[in-house]
Amino acid sequence: MFSPALARDLAALGRVTEGTSIESVLRGITTAVAVGVPGCAGGTVELRREERLMLAASHSDLIALVDHEQALGEGPSAEALATGRDVLVQDVLHDTRWPRYSATAVRHGVRSTLVLPIRIDGAVLLLGLYAVRPGAFSLVSAGPLSALLTEHLTVALANISDYDHVLTGAAQLQEALAGRSVIDQAKGIIMHASGCSAEAAFDELRRLSQHHQVKVADLARLLVSEHQSKHGGAAPTG
């Protein structure tokens, strides 16, 4: 059903680097199956998690086909999503289940398709495989392919989630450090103007922030910005 290279290409999707995203992984899946599954001319992936839907395809025509299927509300992907079972269309010219979908598929050069629903960590992933000739796929070999995809995609999505958490934590730390720096500058401005201590300057900042119902860091940025526009240069620090 698939070449040894498919497992290698899917495993590579789990190696997260800068620029890796869920979108890039989904695109990588479609490219991998188009190359690694005999008879497969292209692939699509629909990732459904809560209210979010993400769609990727190896070819733009397949995006149009999936969009049309969603608009119709019928077709192999809709069936796979509703039943949780693999759905095979041996030949769209002779399949009578979804005539409107079949007509669109033929216009896009698709003669057979296989849709695999895969559940991963609270999400549903629909993998669509498309061929330009009839009888390209078999339900008998769909199970091993689903198992392979589940194994590698579970790792890939978990790695992306962990990577995103690390980036979020780093961004929050950077924001906190930037906020502390601007607060120190604002304190220096108050201390320079009134001759008070650093503690008294911070108390004044906090009092003003409560009075105007703004965050201390936001008030400090405003104070520093006004000071620099009036006097130029960096604000004094405590």
Side-chain angles (χ1 to χ4, degrees):
M1 177 64 182
F2 50 84
S3 68
L6 179 60
R8 181 199 63 210
D9 292 341
L10 292 175
L13 297 176
R15 294 194 285 271
V16 178
T17 59
E18 185 177 357
T20 301
S21 64
I22 293 179
E23 291 86 349
S24 67
V25 169
L26 295 183
R27 288 194 301 271
I29 295 169
T30 65
T31 301
V33 297
V35 173
V37 178
C40 183
T44 62
V45 171
E46 298 174 61
L47 180 63
R48 297 172 179 268
R49 176 175 287 157
E50 298 174 350
E51 299 300 320
R52 295 185 61 196
L53 169 63
M54 300 178 67
L55 174 63
S58 58
H59 301 80
S60 59
D61 281 358
L62 295 178
I63 289 280
L65 177 58
V66 172
D67 284 343
H68 188 70
E69 180 181 359
Q70 291 174 353
L72 291 173
E74 64 175 39
S77 295
E79 181 76 9
L81 181 63
T83 64
R85 295 193 298 269
D86 302 336
V87 177
L88 173 66
V89 180
Q90 289 280 15
D91 189 346
V92 296
L93 285 178
H94 297 96
D95 193 284
T96 59
R97 288 173 290 181
W98 315 289
R100 292 182 297 171
Y101 168 82
S102 295
T104 303
V106 170
R107 286 198 299 271
H108 287 286
V110 173
R111 285 293 301 273
S112 59
T113 183
L114 173 64
V115 180
L116 307 177
I118 301 170
R119 294 193 175 274
I120 302 175
D121 191 26
V124 178
L125 185 144
L126 296 178
L127 174 67
L129 292 84
Y130 302 85
V132 297
R133 62 178 179 83
F137 309 117
S138 168
L139 284 177
V140 174
S141 51
L145 179 57
S146 291
L148 178 69
L149 286 161
T150 300
E151 175 186 353
H152 288 292
L153 294 181
T154 298
V155 173
L157 295 179
N159 287 349
I160 290 174
S161 178
D162 291 343
Y163 184 66
D164 285 344
H165 286 156
V166 170
L167 290 182
T168 300
Q172 290 174 341
L173 177 60
Q174 186 175 13
E175 183 179 356
L177 292 174
R180 182 178 301 174
S181 174
V182 77
I183 288 172
D184 285 342
Q185 292 181 62
K187 284 164 53 180
I189 293 171
I190 296 173
M191 293 166 62
H192 182 77
S194 63
C196 66
S197 66
E199 182 178 355
F202 183 73
D203 287 342
E204 179 64 10
L205 265 179
R206 186 163 51 190
R207 184 189 68 79
L208 290 172
S209 73
Q210 292 172 348
H211 177 75
H212 294 286
Q213 296 184 336
V214 296
K215 295 180 179 179
V216 171
D218 291 340
L219 178 64
R221 290 188 185 94
L222 178 60
L223 180 60
V224 170
S225 177
E226 289 181 349
H227 178 87
Q228 291 176 343
S229 65
K230 291 180 180 179
H231 303 285
T237 62

